[in-house]
Amino acid sequence: DEFISAEHRATLANSNRADVFISIHVNRSFSAGIVGFEAYVMDYGSLPGGQILSGHSQLLDFAQANYVAQSKRLAQHLVAAYQARHPGSRAEVKSAPLFTLKGTTMPALHLEAGYVSNAQERQNIAGETFQQSLAAAISDGIAGFKKEQTPSSN
C-alpha cells in the first residue's frame, strides 16, 4: 500500500486516458442513524466565492467542468445498480466541490459506500459479501453508462 495524493490520482487517470474516474470512500457522521450510498459529482456552484486561487489551482478546479453532465449520468447508473443489488437501501446522487474530483478530465465520481458511524453499515462494509456486491454494482453501473455512451449500430 502506498498513499497517492488526490492530485496525483487525477494525473494518473488523465495520463492513462481512463474512461471514468471513481474514488471510493466510506463516510462518517455524528449521528449513528445516518446510512446510505452516495455518488458525488463535482459542483462548481458551491465553490467558495471571493477566494483567490493560483492559476494552477484554477486549471485543476475547472478541468472536470466539461464532464459534469456525463458524471451525473454515470452516478445515476451506479446508484441504480447499487439499489438493484441492495433493494430498499438509501442511495442517491449528490454534488459538492470535492478535492478528489479536482483535475480529472473524464466522467468522475466520489463514492461513499456507507457510514462507518452506523454499526450495521460498518459491519457490512468490513464484510466480503458486501464488498463483492459493491464491486459488482460499480461494474454494472459503469457497464450501463458505457452502453448508453456507445451509439447502437442498427
Side-chain angles (χ1 to χ4, degrees):
D1 281 337
E2 178 182 333
F3 176 77
I4 300 173
S5 71
E7 186 174 299
H8 188 63
R9 290 176 204 181
T11 300
L12 285 172
N14 293 340
S15 64
N16 286 295
R17 297 186 187 123
D19 292 332
V20 298
F21 178 91
I22 299 175
S23 185
I24 304 170
H25 304 264
V26 292
N27 216 336
R28 183 173 185 82
S29 173
F30 290 114
S31 171
I34 303 292
V35 297
F37 174 89
E38 299 162 341
Y40 283 87
V41 298
M42 181 61 97
D43 177 7
Y44 289 104
S46 62
L47 283 171
Q51 186 179 14
I52 297 175
L53 303 170
S54 71
H56 179 69
S57 182
Q58 286 178 349
L59 273 174
L60 289 176
D61 280 342
F62 295 101
Q64 179 56 201
N66 292 329
Y67 302 94
V68 171
Q70 289 178 318
S71 296
K72 286 180 184 176
R73 292 296 306 145
L74 175 61
Q76 291 165 346
H77 279 280
L78 263 69
V79 163
Y82 182 86
Q83 287 177 320
R85 291 183 177 272
H86 302 272
S89 296
R90 183 183 75 79
E92 59 187 306
V93 176
K94 293 185 169 188
S95 57
L98 296 171
F99 192 74
T100 53
L101 302 176
K102 191 175 186 178
T104 54
T105 57
M106 72 279 302
L109 300 180
H110 174 111
L111 295 183
E112 293 288 354
Y115 282 79
V116 294
S117 48
N118 178 279
Q120 183 60 55
E121 284 205 345
R122 181 173 56 249
Q123 183 178 350
N124 290 346
I125 290 166
E128 185 177 339
T129 300
F130 176 82
Q131 292 172 11
Q132 289 177 349
S133 177
L134 176 65
I138 292 169
S139 178
D140 292 349
I142 293 170
F145 171 75
K146 292 300 288 180
K147 184 177 179 182
E148 178 184 276
Q149 300 299 307
T150 306
S152 62
S153 54
N154 289 336

